[in-house]
Amino acid sequence: MPRQMHLAAHFPGVNSTTVWADPRSGSQIDFSSFEHLARTAERGRFDFFFLAEGLRLREHNGLIHDLDVVGRPESLTVLNALAAVTDRLGLAATVNATFNEPYELARRLATLDHLSGGRAAWNVVTSSDAFTGENFRRGGFLDRAERYTRAAEFVAAARELWDAWTPDGRSRPFAHDGPQFTISGEFTVPRSPQGHPVVIQAGDSAEGREFAASAADVVFTRHGTLEAGRAFYADVKGRLAAYGRTPDQLTIMPGVTVVVGDTDAEAQERAAEIRRRQVSPQTALLALEQVWGHDLSGYDPDGPLPATDPVPDSEIVQGRVRHGDPLAVAARWRAVSEAKGLSIRQTVIETTTRQSFIGSPETVAAELTAFVDADAADGFILVPHLTPGGLDDFVDRVVPLLQERGAFRSEYSGSTLRSHLGLAEPVWKG
């Protein structure tokens, strides 16, 4: 019998994922788009619906980076509205722990938990860059090394606030005194239906993994290959014992994409076309500049990679995380390009592939099941390439096969997000 997997839906539109030129592509602002994707996810019995957030418009070479979403509504506002048009689906908001305060955010999350009947989740992210901080008049105030220190205390303080009301409905004063926050008073929102909103964490650094092991209920990871997934899974799960936690108290869910076709060959053709449309010539050059760190607009995207080395610590890109050492990334790209005779655009497509599972419905269902059974993940956060109908094929054609295999629920067995994830309600700390 296969292990039961967890599934979540990520609203698309970040990092050139969405194919905006597709005639079926809709708005990333209209509520109808959010509603369509959320209703589809709930029809598929998904665990939760996940919203990313950006606190400043990204810039590239001093200009707004308009190949991404350049305007997104605030996550919790959208999720409060979705609570009224869904019944069981979890609702997860990405909210920054650097540029918010525990009391105010704890109230907003507890309110969503009440309005949704216990379906709220908080994806904790951090930031240390002065570029984002300028929007908050805090540019550069937080050393990078301190961002997880603040985040850990932020989560601890929020949980103290959520425990400020007893399970039988009595309020009591709270007081928190730490290096990052000194707050006291009365919390205005009664204990929520699932005790505490679910805490999600998405960092992959050593500090991020330790923070996940100590404080998170769910980890959103980018490790989408079997080998990388198994290594990450074993590493993070192996850290739990140091905090008195067991492996079943943390759910690991990589972000993945799926392309489904009538046959494996058709799905491969569709996936290749999607990648070509995601990585336009302009997108390819911008991706190259993000690694090389200087203006490469004079290069031919159908020509070879630059012979020069990247510029370390370049600020040509603002508001986007740079993954890894640029010199190491450039070396890897050159090796791929030379081995396969690829142009700039082809190299970007090859090295930044996002289609994790490609094939017929039967193939995709089998590969997802095998991935979970191999302890490479506990489930998946699906990132579709279309807004808002990008999950329709998966829910209509793959989910029924997962259910037939016994790898995914046919019906919700509980009403809260914690029940979907198999997480116990946190013990009240009186």
Side-chain angles (χ1 to χ4, degrees):
M1 187 72 177
R3 280 209 298 139
Q4 284 274 304
M5 73 177 65
H6 298 281
L7 294 175
H10 187 292
F11 190 79
V14 182
N15 298 330
S16 304
T17 298
T18 303
V19 178
W20 299 110
D22 192 299
R24 297 167 296 171
S25 180
S27 171
Q28 83 278 9
I29 296 291
D30 290 347
F31 181 69
S32 60
S33 293
F34 296 101
E35 183 178 12
H36 181 108
L37 192 70
R39 286 186 182 275
T40 302
E42 187 164 75
R43 178 163 57 84
R45 305 299 186 263
F46 280 35
D47 292 62
F48 60 90
F49 174 90
F50 183 87
L51 283 177
E53 181 143 271
L55 295 179
R56 180 163 178 174
L57 297 182
R58 293 168 171 176
E59 294 182 9
H60 190 102
N61 206 15
L63 301 174
I64 298 300
H65 178 63
D66 60 1
L67 298 180
D68 257 359
V69 170
V70 293
R72 283 179 284 175
E74 193 274 327
S75 296
L76 281 166
T77 305
V78 173
L79 296 180
N80 278 309
L82 288 178
V85 297
T86 55
D87 295 315
R88 299 291 184 91
L89 184 70
L91 304 167
T94 300
V95 187
N96 198 294
T98 304
F99 302 112
N100 284 280
E101 298 298 326
Y103 183 86
E104 188 268 344
L105 181 54
R107 283 187 77 232
R108 292 165 63 201
L109 288 163
T111 299
L112 173 60
D113 214 39
H114 277 284
L115 292 177
S116 64
R119 297 185 281 136
W122 170 26
N123 178 39
V124 184
V125 294
T126 65
S127 178
S128 61
D129 66 283
F131 176 76
T132 301
E134 288 174 358
N135 273 356
F136 297 86
R137 303 183 67 85
R138 292 181 178 177
F141 89 104
L142 187 67
D143 288 340
R144 182 175 180 84
E146 293 182 21
R147 58 194 184 123
Y148 280 116
T149 300
R150 178 182 170 93
E153 188 177 334
F154 197 123
V155 172
R159 284 174 167 155
E160 290 172 27
L161 292 165
W162 293 327
D163 278 339
W165 284 66
T166 65
D168 60 1
R170 290 180 293 109
S171 174
R172 60 176 192 155
F174 70 85
H176 176 93
D177 186 7
Q180 299 288 332
F181 310 103
T182 300
I183 54 176
S184 62
E186 298 276 349
F187 194 56
T188 60
V189 185
R191 188 171 177 84
S192 64
Q194 57 179 346
H196 297 170
V198 168
V199 172
I200 304 172
Q201 194 271 338
D204 187 44
S205 64
E207 297 92 339
R209 296 182 186 205
E210 205 65 29
F211 176 54
S214 67
D217 300 307
V218 177
V219 175
F220 177 27
T221 172
R222 60 187 175 87
H223 294 286
T225 66
L226 183 66
E227 297 77 12
R230 292 187 70 181
F232 180 84
Y233 190 94
D235 178 66
V236 176
K237 295 270 186 173
R239 298 172 188 251
L240 292 168
Y243 300 97
R245 305 180 69 196
T246 56
D248 61 342
Q249 292 178 302
L250 182 67
T251 303
I252 295 178
M253 302 177 70
V256 300
T257 58
V258 175
V259 178
V260 180
D262 290 339
T263 65
D264 289 352
E266 179 187 304
Q268 291 289 346
E269 289 180 6
R270 287 189 62 195
E273 176 60 22
I274 289 168
R275 285 305 290 151
R276 283 192 293 270
R277 299 180 76 177
Q278 287 173 324
V279 183
S280 66
Q282 183 186 7
T283 299
L285 287 179
L286 290 176
L288 193 72
E289 290 177 351
Q290 185 181 349
V291 175
W292 261 258
H294 60 91
D295 185 2
L296 298 171
S297 57
Y299 278 72
D300 179 2
D302 294 321
L305 293 175
T308 58
D309 287 332
V311 177
D313 302 322
S314 167
E315 294 187 355
I316 191 172
V317 176
Q318 296 277 23
R320 181 192 291 271
V321 176
R322 297 179 73 178
H323 295 292
D325 172 30
L327 292 172
V329 174
R332 179 168 59 86
W333 284 21
R334 282 185 178 130
V336 171
S337 176
E338 291 170 5
K340 299 186 177 183
L342 303 180
S343 67
I344 290 172
R345 186 182 180 196
Q346 291 170 330
T347 301
V348 173
I349 290 173
E350 179 77 12
T351 56
T352 60
T353 294
R354 291 186 176 85
Q355 279 77 27
S356 312
F357 297 94
I358 304 169
S360 67
E362 293 78 9
T363 295
V364 171
E367 290 182 352
L368 290 170
T369 303
F371 205 93
V372 172
D373 287 343
D375 287 339
D378 294 311
F380 308 93
I381 297 178
L382 273 66
V383 185
H385 72 279
L386 281 180
T387 305
L391 280 183
D392 293 356
D393 272 358
F394 183 87
V395 168
D396 292 337
R397 305 181 69 186
V398 179
V399 167
L401 297 179
L402 293 173
Q403 292 167 335
E404 288 177 11
R405 289 170 168 268
F408 189 62
R409 68 172 68 88
S410 295
E411 295 293 341
Y412 290 110
S413 59
S415 60
T416 69
L417 178 53
R418 286 188 177 275
S419 67
H420 304 342
L421 294 167
L423 300 171
E425 181 176 321
V427 176
W428 179 71
K429 296 180 180 179

